[in-house]
Amino acid sequence: MRTIFVTGGAGFIGSAFVRMVLERESDVAIVDYDALTYAGNMENLAGVDDTRHTFVHGDICDREAVLAAMPDGCDAVFNFAAESHVDRSITSAGEFLRTNIIGTQVLLDAARERGVRRFVQVSTDEVMGSLPDDSDEYFTEASPLQPNSPYAASKASAEFVVRAAQETFGVDAVITRCGNNYGPRQFPEKLIPLMIANAMNDEPLPVYGDGRNVRDWIYVEDHCAAIWLAYEKGRSGEAYNIGARNERYNIDVVTAILDLLGKPHSLIKYVADRLGHDRRYAIDPAKAENELGWKPSITWEAGLAATIGWYRDNQAWVDHVRSGEYREYYRKMYGATLA
Ligand code: NAD
Ligand code: DAU
């Protein structure tokens, strides 16, 4: 039995990863370490009752707690834990720097102390900045790191502390850089679940700027599969860009959601643009395809329909995460009160 240490496993992507590994890999046990911030939610792990899954409540910046939870000689650390929302990083960057940079350093130090074989850093395409509108340029692994938001800067910095651990101490590490994920259990501060939840409640859908920013969307399970392959087959010291060749204008994503829910386009409300709003992300995933043998398996049409279906079927989850802190966040962010 191999043991892996997964951080952020109660979040959107981390919980999908935990489910995937338990389902597919019968010889893997997981220690799932999460601070349960506003974005972490034990409901995301509902139904995960496998004896191979152990949940530990803790902060990745807490060195003693990390060392206590990380088993000696475990095979890998997968670092999903992060502050992940760009808008929140614009309002207040401190927690992003603490969790995303200091937390990564603490995990790297602990991994060395515990003799972990491989460190997988879950990074993002946003570290590479923004591409020009309507160009045929793509992010590749050779693209310079040019982060534009405090969130992206913290994730780029995390990549640098991983690199430093490799160069200085010979830590075996791989980095994955994925584009925009969507799927079940995503916190509704992000575009797709926010638009689904608002549309389901007949509330306005706030589109930033001219709605013509481009994101490269991937279904969360395809991202998780790529992370697993990077762990199993990736070359130490390498980064892998992960994307499904699925660029979309924001406005087209929003209208597709309204159409699938049978709601009117009149719910769309253009609002002030995000500060420093990256114009376009587009990933060239050729290296992951060629070296890892990865390719996405879920089309945009199937993935979006499945996502909307999940939110429709899980109204209690939606109502729960939209209560409390979220209502206050929404009021400050959008100047509107949720019904
Ligand atoms: P999320 O915000 O849904 O979940 C983050 C999780 O990390 C939560 O469970 C939270 O409780 C936990 N966490 C936060 N701070 C912590 C701390 N100090 N100690 C321990 N746990 C902590 O995020 P997500 O969308 O699932 O993203 C997961 C990872 O994937 C992040 O590293 C993010 O940068 C990266 N990523 C996300 C996307 C995307 O589109 N969502 C794309 C590429 C990369
Ligand atoms: O590209 C990968 C990144 O994708 C991840 O690293 C981040 O963790 C993740 O949050 C995401 O970042 P984005 O900023 O691209 O995602 P977000 O869902 O916040 O916004 C997607 C696009 O939609 C972006 O152009 C801003 C726009 N938007 C977003 C919200 C929340 C709106 O127009 N209205 C909104 O209300």
Side-chain angles (χ1 to χ4, degrees):
M1 189 67 76
R2 279 177 286 173
T3 301
I4 60 172
F5 189 80
V6 173
T7 72
F12 162 50
I13 305 174
S15 64
F17 182 79
V18 164
R19 283 170 198 281
M20 181 198 78
V21 172
L22 290 173
E23 196 179 301
R24 286 201 203 163
E25 311 295 330
S26 57
D27 67 333
V28 175
I30 300 175
V31 176
D32 181 349
Y33 186 89
D34 195 300
L36 298 177
T37 67
Y38 78 91
N41 184 352
M42 286 309 281
E43 288 172 55
N44 290 346
L45 293 164
V48 178
D49 52 7
D50 200 298
T51 51
R52 292 174 296 138
H53 176 251
T54 307
F55 183 82
V56 180
H57 184 200
D59 184 336
I60 59 168
C61 300
D62 182 341
R63 185 185 132 78
E64 295 312 319
V66 167
L67 276 171
M70 191 181 286
D72 247 332
C74 76
D75 203 56
V77 170
F78 292 83
N79 185 23
F80 290 89
E83 288 294 330
S84 68
H85 190 39
V86 172
D87 289 326
R88 290 188 194 247
S89 80
I90 293 167
T91 310
S92 177
E95 198 54 29
F96 286 74
L97 306 188
R98 192 187 82 91
T99 286
N100 299 0
I101 309 172
I102 306 292
T104 301
Q105 182 66 56
V106 169
L107 290 170
L108 286 160
D109 292 342
R112 282 198 298 124
E113 208 167 320
R114 289 284 174 260
V116 173
R117 187 180 66 81
R118 169 157 276 195
F119 193 96
V120 181
Q121 173 67 8
V122 181
S123 190
T124 167
D125 62 350
E126 297 198 17
V127 298
M128 295 173 279
S130 182
L131 295 165
D133 244 347
D134 299 323
S135 72
D136 56 3
E137 281 181 49
Y138 292 87
F139 292 137
T140 73
E141 289 75 5
S143 301
L145 297 198
Q146 293 176 324
N148 294 323
S149 71
Y151 161 71
S154 70
K155 293 294 290 188
S157 305
E159 289 201 20
F160 286 137
V161 300
V162 171
R163 178 189 157 87
Q166 277 164 350
E167 295 295 323
T168 309
F169 301 109
V171 169
D172 177 323
V174 291
I175 292 172
T176 58
R177 294 184 188 135
C178 191
N180 287 61
N181 284 225
Y182 68 101
R185 304 180 188 84
Q186 187 169 27
F187 194 81
E189 62 191 353
K190 309 280 167 62
L191 180 77
I192 287 184
L194 186 147
M195 297 298 163
I196 295 173
N198 282 21
M200 288 195 323
N201 289 292
D202 298 306
E203 282 157 353
L205 273 54
V207 173
Y208 298 161
D210 64 1
R212 304 272 299 170
N213 299 69
V214 172
R215 294 295 182 266
D216 195 344
W217 295 96
I218 183 171
Y219 195 68
V220 62
E221 288 172 13
D222 280 330
H223 180 195
C224 292
I227 293 168
W228 187 258
L229 285 169
Y231 152 63
E232 288 205 316
K233 295 185 177 173
R235 283 184 292 134
S236 182
E238 295 291 316
Y240 294 90
N241 286 358
I242 314 296
R245 295 190 165 87
N246 184 37
E247 288 177 65
R248 309 263 160 191
Y249 291 114
N250 290 342
I251 191 63
D252 292 342
V253 171
V254 173
T255 52
I257 291 168
L258 286 170
D259 292 346
L260 281 163
L261 284 167
K263 299 286 184 177
H265 291 195
S266 56
L267 283 175
I268 293 170
K269 184 181 175 204
Y270 285 94
V271 299
D273 210 351
R274 173 185 279 174
L275 295 177
H277 196 174
D278 283 341
R279 192 64 178 169
R280 173 174 168 254
Y281 302 150
I283 295 148
D284 176 356
K287 181 176 172 184
E289 290 168 344
N290 296 334
E291 285 192 21
L292 307 178
W294 172 83
K295 63 173 174 12
S297 62
I298 295 144
T299 63
W300 167 247
E301 290 72 21
L304 191 59
T307 303
I308 289 177
W310 188 88
Y311 282 87
R312 267 186 154 153
D313 293 346
N314 289 276
Q315 189 68 52
W317 184 97
V318 176
D319 290 345
H320 184 202
V321 298
R322 272 167 50 105
S323 64
E325 187 267 356
Y326 183 77
R327 296 179 68 79
E328 185 54 17
Y329 163 79
Y330 197 91
R331 194 186 59 73
K332 280 197 189 135
M333 182 69 206
Y334 296 98
T337 307
L338 290 169

